[in-house]
């Protein structure tokens, strides 16, 4: 629900509760005043009658007199106001006793009270009108306020949507005289600065690590090769040196792959190339032809012309990783079937070893065979690439065959 | 050939110098931007091997100034900046080759020699080793003056061997030379063996000697020394 709707709903609700209360209040006050008026009129008529009798010694004509009855002198009557219903009309009666020329009378003065229903109706409609106008006014003011007072707030939201931690572009918040907004802007500005700083630090840290580690690896590895060149190594020394050599190689590959992952996650590959997928696949198979032939793997291709918009480096990496994976986890004289159809790439291959469980397969450093020399980073990298473009990468095991499927958008 | 190596890590610098000097090259060193600039300004070099991250400057600026002053020198960048963009930028600025760290000294040697041959002889100089000679420009190998019929990879291997003769080439170094980073699978090393077996057969068929020595099962050496 939008802020404006929310506020208006509140107002509407408030007025909805207020309106009946208002009507009730008004009615009570109205009725009280009206009754007072009626009573006052009756009393003043009573006084007028008394004054007339005093002056003229006879009862005057009065439209108020409802009845005058003789009564026994011993009957005492007090002045009394009484509400009564006479022929469907509500009336107020003033009943009192009067002595005139030795005769005793019971005088009843009558005054009609205004129709309650009409009063109700009048009060409700007039109050409704006022409340309606009030709501209209509030609504208008609110809309204006919403546009005017909140405008910097909405502009800042739009600006915030465009914040990208990976670039150095500063968010310029709109100045506002509203203190709370200004505070919010300040806090968000500080947060963004901090996040960008952290991001930059992390990026630099990653870069530094991968940079700084490469030179020592170069030196260490070349020294080991130089050592291996020297003669007279006994078996034990040789084994140790070989182990060092392999581990250094592994270290180098890990750091390269992790750097690649972090660069993909940092979205450093931002080109949108028009990538011809079948060409990429064929080139890749060409490069890997030797290994494929060596393993005697039969490659079946069924490629529909497909073009996608993405960074060609990433697509190269993605497809290479998947094809390499299909070669590596294959058996001698196995097969690989690559199909490209309806913007989906399916790579099916005969399997060799116990596959990793489905939910773990894209984890970093996850290997089908723990003894394997592979790092288990290839599929993690593939997964990362797919995430960037919202491609769907799925793995399934069909009998003894493994299948990876990439659904391009 | 005369080489200037610019690299801020002294240990790596010494390794490169030792390796290249043993090949009979004159090798000079610079550990920072300023020294490198001075040396390039004063002395002629055939090849400049340069790291990009120097303590007092960016190696790319040296490439720029070399190109601006029209100094005739082949440039090989050795860098830990392995972003593809850096590689493209360096090559666009006029560097001739780009070698990512970590690299094998044998690979650096091969690249430097290839670059030197291209520049000095347009690749037209033969590489000789006893009865074997290679013509790099036409990618031909002769044994006792008979042309061998080699596959592309077999040629690449023997060329790599001859350029790094008497040196240990590990299987990993050979694999990296032949296939680049593409091959990281264990199977890769098996078909180096296959290629070598074929190569040996073809050389033997022309009465060539078998110079390919297996070293401790970690690699090979192309040498006539025991």
């Amino acid at each position: 629900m939008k802020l404006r709707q929310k506020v208006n709903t509140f107002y509407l609700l408030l007025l909805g509760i207020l309106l009946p209360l208002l009507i009730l209040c008004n009615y009570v006050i109205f009725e009280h005043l009206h009754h007072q008026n009626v009573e006052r009129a009756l009393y003043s008529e009573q006084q007028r009658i008394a004054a007339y009798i005093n002056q003229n010694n006879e009862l005057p004509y009065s439209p108020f007199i409802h009845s005058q009855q003789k009564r026994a002198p011993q009957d005492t009557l007090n002045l009394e106001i009484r509400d009564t219903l006479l022929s469907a009309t509500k009336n107020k009666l003033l009943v009192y006793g009067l002595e005139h020329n030795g005769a005793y009378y019971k005088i009843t003065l009558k005054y009609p009270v205004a129709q309650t229903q009409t009063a109700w109706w009048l009060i409700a409609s007039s109050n409704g009108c006022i409340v309606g106008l009030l709501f209209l006014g509030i609504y208008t003011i609110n809309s204006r306020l919403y546009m005017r007072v909140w405008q910097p707030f909405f502009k800042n939201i739009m600006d915030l949507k465009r914040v990208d931690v990976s670039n150095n572009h500063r968010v310029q918040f709109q100045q506002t005289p509203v203190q709370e907004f200004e505070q919010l802007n300040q806090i968000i500005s500080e947060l963004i600065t901090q996040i960008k700083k952290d991001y930059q630090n992390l990026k630099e840290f990653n870069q530094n690590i991968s940079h700084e580690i490469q030179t020592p690896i170069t030196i260490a590895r070349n020294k080991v090769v130089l050592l291996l060149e020297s003669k007279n190594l006994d078996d034990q020394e040789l084994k140790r040196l070989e182990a060092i050599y392999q581990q250094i190689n592994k270290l180098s590959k890990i750091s390269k792959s992790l750097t690649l992952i972090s660069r993909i996650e940092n979205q450093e590959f931002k080109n949108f190339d028009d990538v011809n997928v079948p060409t990429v696949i064929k080139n890749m198979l060409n490069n890997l032809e030797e290994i494929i032939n060596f393993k005697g793997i039969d490659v079946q291709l069924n490629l529909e012309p497909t073009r996608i918009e993405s960074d060609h480096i990433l697509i190269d990496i993605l497809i290479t990783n998947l094809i390499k994976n299909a070669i590596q986890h294959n058996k001698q004289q196995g097969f690989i079937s690559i199909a490209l159809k309806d913007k989906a790439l399916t790579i099916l291959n005969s399997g060799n070893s116990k596959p990793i469980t489905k939910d773990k397969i894209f984890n970093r450093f996850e290997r089908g065979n723990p003894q394997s020399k592979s790092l288990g980073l290839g599929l993690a990298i593939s997964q990362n690439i797919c995430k960037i473009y919202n491609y769907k990468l799925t793995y399934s095991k069909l009998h003894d065959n493994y299948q990876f499927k990439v659904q391009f958008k | 050939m005369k080489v200037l190596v610019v690299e801020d890590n002294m240990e790596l610098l010494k390794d490169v110098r030792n390796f290249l000097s043993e090949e009979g090259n004159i090798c000079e060193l610079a550990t920072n931007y300023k020294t490198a600039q001075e040396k390039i300004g004063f002395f002629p070099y055939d090849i400049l091997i340069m790291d990009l991250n120097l303590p007092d400057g960016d190696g790319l600026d040296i490439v720029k100034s070399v190109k601006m002053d029209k100094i005739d020198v082949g440039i090989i960048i050795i860098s830990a900046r392995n972003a593809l963009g850096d590689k493209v930028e360096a090559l666009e600025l006029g560097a001739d080759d780009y070698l990512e760290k970590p690299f094998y000294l044998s690979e650096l040697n091969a690249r430097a020699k290839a670059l030197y041959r291209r520049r000095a002889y347009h690749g037209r100089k033969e590489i000789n080793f006893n009865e074997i000679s290679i013509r790099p420009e036409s990618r031909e190998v002769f044994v006792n003056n008979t042309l061998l019929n080699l596959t592309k990879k077999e040629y690449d291997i023997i060329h790599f061997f001859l350029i790094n003769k008497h040196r240990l080439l590990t299987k990993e170094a050979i694999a990296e030379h032949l296939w680049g980073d593409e091959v990281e699978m264990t199977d890769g090393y098996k078909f180096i063996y296959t290629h070598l077996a074929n190569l040996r057969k073809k050389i033997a068929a022309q009465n060539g000697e078998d110079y390919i020595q297996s070293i401790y099962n970690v690699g090979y050496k192309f040498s006539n020394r025991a």
Side-chain angles (χ1 to χ4, degrees):
Chain A
M1 194 188 259
K2 279 197 165 184
L3 182 68
R4 183 165 53 165
Q5 284 170 324
K6 185 116 189 154
V7 171
N8 281 337
T9 315
F10 263 119
Y11 281 131
L12 205 60
L13 216 69
L14 182 72
L15 292 178
I17 297 168
L18 225 56
L19 183 63
L21 274 176
L22 200 67
I23 291 171
L24 196 73
C25 251
N26 271 347
Y27 179 75
V28 169
I29 292 168
F30 167 82
E31 208 178 41
H32 179 72
L33 287 177
H34 183 58
H35 280 242
Q36 240 177 14
N37 272 342
V38 170
E39 281 168 26
R40 211 172 287 149
L42 285 173
Y43 281 125
S44 77
E45 185 64 14
Q46 183 217 355
Q47 273 161 21
R48 188 182 74 88
I49 290 171
Y52 193 90
I53 290 172
N54 253 345
Q55 223 168 27
N56 303 320
N57 206 20
E58 63 174 1
L59 265 175
Y61 165 78
S62 167
F64 292 113
I65 293 176
H66 177 61
S67 66
Q68 61 185 81
Q69 291 163 325
K70 290 231 162 120
R71 63 175 169 99
Q74 63 272 22
D75 293 349
T76 45
L77 261 180
N78 289 325
L79 193 69
E80 108 179 86
I81 283 270
R82 206 190 293 156
D83 284 328
T84 176
L85 257 180
L86 288 167
S87 62
T89 328
K90 204 177 173 196
N91 289 292
K92 233 179 222 310
L93 300 179
L94 179 64
V95 184
Y96 66 102
L98 185 75
E99 193 205 342
H100 177 56
N101 291 339
Y104 293 89
Y105 300 93
K106 174 185 167 192
I107 303 285
T108 309
L109 294 179
K110 177 190 87 175
Y111 197 101
V113 177
Q115 285 275 11
T116 316
Q117 229 174 350
T118 325
W120 265 117
W121 186 234
L122 261 170
I123 290 168
S125 56
S126 65
N127 277 326
C129 261
I130 292 168
V131 168
L133 281 173
L134 198 64
F135 179 72
L136 216 67
I138 288 173
Y139 182 84
T140 317
I141 289 173
N142 208 17
S143 299
R144 287 282 168 84
L145 269 183
Y146 185 80
M147 298 290 271
R148 209 175 311 134
V149 178
W150 290 82
Q151 193 266 339
F153 178 77
F154 296 123
K155 193 204 153 275
N156 291 345
I157 287 182
M158 294 306 287
D159 283 350
L160 278 176
K161 273 190 191 160
R162 286 196 295 268
V163 169
D164 180 358
V165 285
S166 65
N167 70 27
N168 256 333
H169 183 72
R170 259 187 75 91
V171 188
Q172 203 59 57
F173 284 118
Q174 191 164 332
Q175 292 279 326
T176 149
V178 182
Q179 202 184 354
E180 286 87 346
F181 287 168
E182 203 49 52
Q183 248 173 359
L184 184 71
N185 290 351
Q186 212 179 342
I187 291 166
I188 290 178
S189 283
E190 278 166 18
L191 263 177
I192 291 175
T193 314
Q194 189 57 43
I195 290 170
K196 281 193 174 183
K197 223 166 91 186
D198 288 351
Y199 175 83
Q200 206 57 35
N201 280 343
L202 191 67
K203 212 168 116 183
E204 270 170 30
F205 176 77
N206 271 336
Q207 271 171 359
N208 287 345
I209 285 269
S210 66
H211 277 178
E212 295 307 316
I213 211 173
Q214 300 305 339
T215 305
I217 286 175
T218 313
I219 297 166
R221 193 167 67 171
N222 282 320
K223 297 268 186 208
V224 174
V225 174
L226 290 175
L227 266 177
L228 283 166
E229 258 186 358
S230 66
K231 288 156 199 154
N232 310 325
L233 290 176
D234 68 32
D235 253 11
Q236 191 122 56
E237 290 167 336
L238 186 67
K239 269 185 192 147
R240 285 177 189 152
L241 274 179
E242 253 195 281
I244 295 174
Y245 181 65
Q246 298 305 343
Q247 296 308 314
I248 293 174
N249 273 333
K250 203 165 182 174
L251 194 60
S252 150
K253 276 177 197 157
I254 290 173
S255 87
K256 276 189 180 179
S257 298
L258 287 180
T259 312
L260 180 63
I261 290 181
S262 77
R263 290 181 57 216
I264 292 170
E265 282 176 349
N266 291 348
Q267 311 207 344
E268 285 178 39
F269 299 94
K270 283 182 173 165
N271 289 332
F272 274 95
D273 308 313
D274 179 25
V275 182
N276 186 342
V277 185
T279 313
V280 174
I281 294 173
K282 282 177 193 156
N283 285 342
M284 212 50 70
L285 287 171
N286 241 352
N287 290 348
L288 298 167
E289 196 185 1
E290 263 173 297
I291 311 169
I292 292 168
N293 290 342
F294 189 80
K295 273 200 148 182
I297 293 170
D298 180 34
V299 179
Q300 299 145 17
L301 289 181
N302 180 15
L303 308 177
E304 266 181 14
T306 306
R307 306 185 87 91
I308 50 174
E309 282 254 309
S310 42
D311 195 302
H312 76 94
I313 297 173
L314 291 186
I315 296 306
D316 271 15
I317 296 171
L318 172 66
I319 291 176
T320 315
N321 279 346
L322 291 178
I323 294 180
K324 270 191 195 169
N325 190 68
I327 296 171
Q328 203 161 11
H329 298 285
N330 213 323
K331 56 185 179 194
Q332 211 69 28
Q333 314 301 326
F335 75 91
I336 297 175
S337 157
I338 304 176
L340 193 56
K341 209 183 162 197
D342 300 330
K343 291 227 155 184
L345 170 69
T346 316
I347 299 180
L348 178 76
N349 68 279
S350 47
N352 65 340
S353 59
K354 213 174 113 228
I356 313 167
T357 42
K358 221 171 168 178
D359 50 330
K360 272 188 175 175
I361 196 157
F362 298 115
N363 285 1
R364 292 178 189 181
F365 300 107
E366 201 64 55
R367 277 156 290 198
N369 173 8
Q371 302 307 316
S372 136
K373 276 193 185 172
S374 85
L375 298 173
L377 285 171
L379 288 177
I381 291 173
S382 305
Q383 177 77 318
N384 265 309
I385 294 173
C386 286
K387 259 189 209 155
I388 285 186
Y389 294 115
N390 283 326
Y391 298 161
K392 214 175 144 208
L393 176 62
T394 48
Y395 161 73
S396 47
K397 186 173 182 282
L398 309 166
H399 305 294
D400 283 338
N401 304 328
Y402 310 147
Q403 178 181 287
F404 285 90
K405 185 174 178 185
V406 183
Q407 180 69 55
F408 301 115
K409 247 184 294 185
Chain B
M1 60 178 167
K2 204 170 164 196
V3 184
L4 175 66
V5 188
V6 187
E7 156 71 53
D8 61 331
N9 187 304
M10 204 55 209
E11 202 59 47
L12 182 57
L13 204 55
K14 280 194 282 186
D15 281 347
V16 172
R17 181 190 59 196
N18 291 344
F19 198 96
L20 294 179
S21 303
E22 281 169 33
E23 298 288 314
N25 303 302
I26 300 159
C27 210
E28 289 197 25
L29 309 177
T31 54
N32 55 47
Y33 182 90
K34 199 164 154 268
T35 326
Q37 279 285 35
E38 281 169 10
K39 288 203 171 178
I40 294 166
F42 280 118
F43 310 106
Y45 295 99
D46 298 307
I47 302 290
L48 179 61
I49 294 173
M50 190 166 54
D51 186 17
L52 290 185
N53 289 351
L54 297 171
D56 54 345
D58 188 340
L60 285 180
D61 292 335
I62 297 185
V63 178
K64 276 183 215 162
S65 76
V66 162
K67 291 294 154 186
M68 213 146 68
D69 299 343
K70 297 204 165 70
I71 296 171
D72 187 29
V73 61
I75 302 173
I76 297 175
I77 302 291
I78 46 170
S79 176
R81 283 192 217 163
N82 296 340
L84 199 89
D86 294 320
K87 187 170 179 172
V88 171
E89 193 189 355
L91 294 179
E92 270 173 2
L93 280 176
D96 297 280
D97 208 343
Y98 192 102
L99 195 55
E100 288 181 5
K101 285 180 185 173
F103 55 84
Y104 287 96
L105 291 172
S106 49
E107 183 65 33
L108 177 63
N109 182 38
R111 303 263 186 123
K113 274 191 180 165
L115 179 57
Y116 176 65
R117 278 169 191 283
R118 272 210 309 277
R119 293 174 49 79
Y121 310 107
H122 301 280
R124 272 189 219 106
K125 195 171 184 255
E126 284 190 0
I127 307 166
N128 293 307
F129 188 82
N130 293 352
E131 70 273 26
I132 300 172
S133 59
I134 294 182
R135 289 182 191 160
E137 88 276 22
S138 54
R139 298 174 62 89
E140 288 172 324
V141 180
F142 295 86
V143 175
N144 293 319
N145 298 316
T146 312
L147 178 65
L148 295 188
N149 181 17
L150 299 182
T151 64
K152 185 180 174 293
K153 289 286 185 285
E154 284 162 7
Y155 170 82
D156 286 340
I157 291 182
I158 193 162
H159 181 254
F160 193 44
F161 269 136
L162 251 70
I163 275 184
N164 288 298
K165 56 188 182 238
H166 311 307
R167 314 274 345 195
L168 166 66
L169 300 178
T170 61
K171 290 177 203 166
E172 286 81 358
I174 296 172
E176 213 176 287
H177 180 75
L178 293 186
W179 294 284
D181 268 349
E182 286 298 311
V183 174
E184 52 195 51
M185 2 191 128
T186 43
D187 303 324
Y189 310 126
K190 288 186 200 146
F191 43 81
I192 291 177
Y193 182 81
T194 318
H195 285 310
L196 282 179
N198 291 337
L199 192 58
R200 274 175 165 142
K201 254 186 253 164
K202 287 176 184 177
I203 292 172
Q206 304 306 326
N207 296 319
E209 226 178 288
D210 183 13
Y211 298 113
I212 303 172
Q213 305 171 4
S214 180
I215 307 290
Y216 302 127
N217 215 15
V218 293
Y220 301 92
K221 200 183 260 190
F222 197 83
S223 178
N224 52 357
R225 298 172 194 161

